[in-house]
Amino acid sequence: MFQTGKAFSSFSVNDIEQARDFYQNTLMIRVKHIPMGEQGLLELHFDDGGRVMIYPKPNHTPATFTVLNFPVDDVEKAVDELAAKGVRFEHYDMPGIKTNEKGIARGGGGPEIAWFTDPAGNILSVVGAM
């Protein structure tokens, strides 16, 4: 029978080892390597029990939308901490989304948010309380 209690999301990367290093050592997320196929899979584990699967894809194309959001209490502090680890934030200047010099968007009717990419080019964000 179809059940929704254990649902999870997934996305692809072009290099599973680069992804493991980034998610585990830069973002400090608990990462489980699952041996499967040539490279295996990664499973990200979050404090609230959520999880996300990352799988290798040789012809990977980065997502053009945000695939993973990290809620934080203080977006500016999170941006500063990640930038100190070498994370580069995206800059946007378009209708409805304009970021400041740090890459943080404020106003526009949405939450405070800053976008960055993983080594495979997938878009991630740190987002303030909604």
Side-chain angles (χ1 to χ4, degrees):
M1 173 176 228
F2 178 76
Q3 296 180 356
T4 60
K6 300 281 184 177
F8 64 93
S9 181
S10 66
F11 56 89
S12 70
V13 296
N14 57 344
D15 186 318
I16 206 79
E17 287 305 316
Q18 273 188 330
R20 182 195 332 218
D21 180 57
F22 179 76
Y23 286 96
Q24 184 172 283
N25 298 321
T26 301
L27 300 185
M28 307 303 290
I29 296 171
R30 286 178 287 142
V31 177
K32 178 181 178 183
H33 182 260
I34 301 171
M36 183 178 288
E38 290 181 29
Q39 298 180 43
L41 307 172
L42 299 179
E43 190 174 68
L44 307 181
H45 290 264
F46 302 102
D47 293 342
D48 66 356
R51 62 191 175 115
V52 170
M53 185 75 62
I54 298 178
Y55 58 93
K57 185 176 176 190
N59 60 346
H60 166 76
T61 300
T64 59
F65 52 88
T66 309
V67 298
L68 192 55
N69 297 284
F70 296 98
V72 296
D73 292 330
D74 186 331
V75 171
E76 187 148 356
K77 182 178 178 181
V79 166
D80 290 344
E81 288 173 359
L82 291 171
K85 293 181 173 188
V87 173
R88 294 182 56 196
F89 285 82
E90 300 296 304
H91 292 273
Y92 299 108
D93 187 1
M94 60 181 106
I97 300 175
K98 181 171 178 67
T99 56
N100 66 14
E101 66 283 348
K102 289 186 176 185
I104 302 170
R106 294 184 171 102
E112 189 174 51
I113 187 167
W115 294 272
F116 59 102
T117 60
D118 71 3
N122 294 310
I123 302 169
L124 315 173
S125 84
V126 289
V127 60
M130 297 169 49

